[in-house]
Structure formats: C-alpha cells, structure tokens
Amino acid sequence: MDTIPEYTINKLNSLSCEEVAEKLGMDVIRHRSLCFMHDDHHPSLYFSGNNREKWWCFVCNKGGRAIDMVMEYTGIGFVESCQWLGVQFNIDVGFDKTSKKEWKPLNIKKKIFPHEEKPFSRDISQWILDNNSLTEKGCQFLFGERKLLPQVIEELHIVSIEDSRTLVDRLSKTFELENLVHSGLITMTNNKMYFRMFTPCLLFPYYDKSGVLIGLQSRYLGCNKEAPRFQFVSSQKTRVFNMPIFNSMRSGDELYISEGITDCLALLSAGKKAVALPSATILPVYDLMELSRFELHMYPDQDDAGKKLIGL
Ligand SMILES: [Zn+2]
C-alpha cells in the first residue's frame, strides 16, 4: 500500500484526540492532559474542537490532530500512525486485502523526550510580583465581581498584568536573555520573546510554609475563548496554594480545601482558614502529610481527587 486516500486522512484527523490520547495511555481529565513532550507537572495539553479533534500544548506551543499526536507521541511515521489509528478505531485505511491479513498491530511505545531540567526562576517571578500591582481589570474581577476582601488579596501579594509586551520589554532590560528563556515564563518564537501566560491576567504567587516563593499561577481575565483559564510556570512543581497559613494553625483546626484559587480567596475573605489544591492527584506526599494534621473540609464539593485525599 502506498498512499492513504485524503478522505481517510480527514476521517482519522476528525477522531477525538481525547480518545486517541487515552488509547496511547495518557490520562485525560476535563479536556486536559499532562504534556508528553515536556516535563509537565500541570496539565498543559488541551483538547479543543467540537469533537475534541484538536490538541495543543501551551508550553511547547505545539499541537495538531490525531495523526500528528500519534507521530509525535511515538516517533513512528505518518503511514504507520494512520495504520495504528485505523486498527484502534476500526477505520479502513486502505490496505489491500492481502497485506491487511498479514499486517500485525503495531506495538507502540512512547518516544523519549530529553527534558531539560529548568529550576523555578524565583528571582524573575519575584521581580514580576514586585514590579506590578493590581490593574483596573484585576480589581474589577477580585473586588467587583468576586467581592473578595482587599486585605486578603494584599496579604497574598496577588498582582495583575494588563499588557504582556510592556512586561517583556521591562524584563529584557533587567535579566539576561538566557535566564528569561529558561525561566518558564517566557517563550521564544521567531526570535521574539513572549510572556507565556495569556494576558490580561491575575498572578497568584505560591509560597512554601516558610514564605519562600515556589510558583506562580495565572488566571486569564480576557475574552479569548481559546485561552486557558489557568496557567502555571512550566518549571514549578505542584504544591498547595497558601501554605504559610499552616503557621497560624494548630493540629485539629478546621481547614477548608478548594480546588480553585478564587474559591480559596472567597473562603479566606469569609474568615475561614483555607488552601487550594490545583490538582490533588499529583501533590507531593509531604504536602498531603501537612494537610492531614487538620480537620479538612472540601469546598464546594468533592471530586474524586478530593475524596481520595480525605480518605488518607
Ligand atoms: Zn508540552
């Protein structure tokens, strides 16, 4: 067999990439997945389209459709990828009868990607927090829409970014290009630097128990429907949001756990002790042990990850 007809290619490329990802052995949760092309600790790979026929990693700036996914994931060729999809989804990719009988399903494996270890760039993240404040849009969202307490927002050092171009220009005057590119906060496309978070956005800093900055999470405030609502610095590990609160608590105290940061902020504004778990399933054990000292309440409800945590 030589070429695969175009209508077959179109058919394969209209397959749900979520189903393809699952057949490849990836875990898909709420239209997202850990990226298989970089050392991902937060699901950066998104599935979109009516049939989820498209995928895209916001860190790698790379994506495509079903065939691209199989090729990228396994490193096998175009024709083989089509054949594999054909077998998986029972689509005739146009073998002649004889070769079809002889053809054995490919035993596919994940391609090994060389991961560059990029430590979290505390200095650059700290500079961004120190040199930005809350913009009008940020205030509107936090205080106008969500009615959060200004004191809570201030204590957590939350800032917002309106214009990423200005931010990138200022960063490039302050830090070495190489450090910026390795920070996980900047991406380079065609020799131009871009802030990796979609703007306008809020930035929520993560601190460990002793107040050391360990991560940044953004919350998009614009109206681009394709933009992810939340993004993390790619190099940071998943940790609990608002860990310094543990210092003001005693064992057995009530602690509210929300999945979303804005819910956490609402609980704090209501005078509760609260932390947020951006994705409970991939949290380090030492963070879970820290949590197990308290009387935990899930907010607003519990999903599977939350239930598992409570059962610890
Ligand atoms: Zn990626």
Side-chain angles (χ1 to χ4, degrees):
M1 87 110 244
D2 298 304
T3 52
I4 296 168
E6 201 177 323
Y7 66 84
T8 308
I9 291 171
N10 291 340
K11 201 169 171 184
L12 295 173
N13 271 339
S14 62
L15 287 168
S16 158
C17 284
E18 292 189 346
E19 287 174 33
V20 175
E22 276 166 357
K23 292 214 189 263
L24 288 168
M26 294 159 65
D27 290 322
V28 180
I29 301 167
R30 268 165 282 174
H31 312 302
R32 285 197 234 172
S33 169
L34 287 174
C35 174
F36 55 86
M37 299 177 292
H38 78 274
D39 188 16
D40 200 6
H41 300 276
H42 307 281
S44 320
L45 200 143
Y46 287 72
F47 300 95
S48 63
N50 288 337
N51 188 36
R52 304 285 162 190
E53 69 279 7
K54 291 181 265 186
W55 60 279
W56 185 262
C57 171
F58 282 98
V59 175
C60 300
N61 273 324
K62 206 166 178 179
R65 290 179 179 250
I67 301 173
D68 305 308
M69 177 174 252
V70 179
M71 289 173 70
E72 195 60 52
Y73 188 93
T74 62
I76 62 176
F78 180 81
V79 173
E80 290 88 346
S81 296
C82 291
Q83 288 173 340
W84 183 80
L85 282 169
V87 171
Q88 298 298 318
F89 292 92
N90 212 5
I91 294 169
D92 187 355
V93 295
F95 306 108
D96 63 56
K97 290 278 181 275
T98 46
S99 65
K100 192 173 184 176
K101 261 178 209 161
E102 288 164 15
W103 191 70
K104 286 180 191 138
L106 281 163
N107 186 15
I108 57 148
K109 272 196 200 118
K110 187 180 181 300
K111 188 163 101 185
I112 308 292
F113 288 89
H115 294 135
E116 249 182 282
E117 266 304 312
K118 294 174 189 173
F120 174 68
S121 301
R122 187 164 299 121
D123 52 344
I124 297 174
S125 300
Q126 189 62 58
W127 186 94
I128 293 175
L129 293 172
D130 291 344
N131 288 277
N132 286 280
S133 52
L134 278 177
T135 59
E136 210 184 306
K137 221 170 238 156
C139 288
Q140 170 56 26
F141 176 82
L142 295 169
F143 310 127
E145 259 176 64
R146 300 296 168 109
K147 315 268 184 256
L148 300 170
L149 215 59
Q151 192 196 334
V152 168
I153 303 306
E154 201 176 309
E155 276 171 13
L156 294 168
H157 312 124
I158 293 166
V159 302
S160 51
I161 308 287
E162 184 68 36
D163 171 27
S164 62
R165 198 32 54 203
T166 316
L167 176 66
V168 170
D169 288 346
R170 289 170 72 200
L171 281 169
S172 65
K173 286 183 188 125
T174 315
F175 295 95
E176 299 284 335
L177 175 73
E178 197 187 349
N179 295 341
L180 287 172
V181 172
H182 284 100
S183 69
L185 286 155
I186 299 287
T187 52
M188 287 288 278
T189 309
N190 298 326
N191 270 329
K192 211 167 168 207
M193 282 193 280
Y194 294 92
F195 188 50
R196 208 176 60 73
M197 269 86 167
F198 280 75
T199 53
C201 68
L202 286 161
L203 290 179
F204 304 117
Y206 280 62
Y207 298 95
D208 71 7
K209 211 174 136 185
S210 48
V212 174
L213 184 66
I214 49 172
L216 276 185
Q217 180 183 356
S218 72
R219 203 280 186 194
Y220 180 59
L221 295 174
C223 24
N224 176 358
K225 292 257 188 295
E226 296 286 308
R229 211 139 61 103
F230 298 101
Q231 286 177 281
F232 293 87
V233 180
S234 56
S235 53
Q236 81 192 58
K237 306 279 182 273
T238 303
R239 301 292 298 274
V240 173
F241 175 76
N242 197 23
M243 281 166 68
I245 201 168
F246 296 151
N247 297 316
S248 68
M249 295 180 67
R250 281 181 302 183
S251 292
D253 278 359
E254 288 197 327
L255 177 67
Y256 286 79
I257 300 175
S258 68
E259 198 190 21
I261 287 200
T262 34
D263 283 340
C264 175
L265 299 176
L267 287 159
L268 291 167
S269 297
K272 307 279 186 204
K273 305 277 189 191
V275 295
L277 298 182
S279 38
T281 44
I282 46 175
L283 213 60
V285 173
Y286 42 86
D287 281 5
L288 293 174
M289 286 171 68
E290 193 76 63
L291 291 172
S292 67
R293 292 169 43 216
F294 307 111
E295 193 190 325
L296 304 177
H297 300 277
M298 294 306 286
Y299 179 87
D301 244 343
Q302 47 295 117
D303 59 9
D304 285 346
K307 273 184 194 152
K308 253 182 243 160
L309 182 82
I310 288 290
L312 231 125

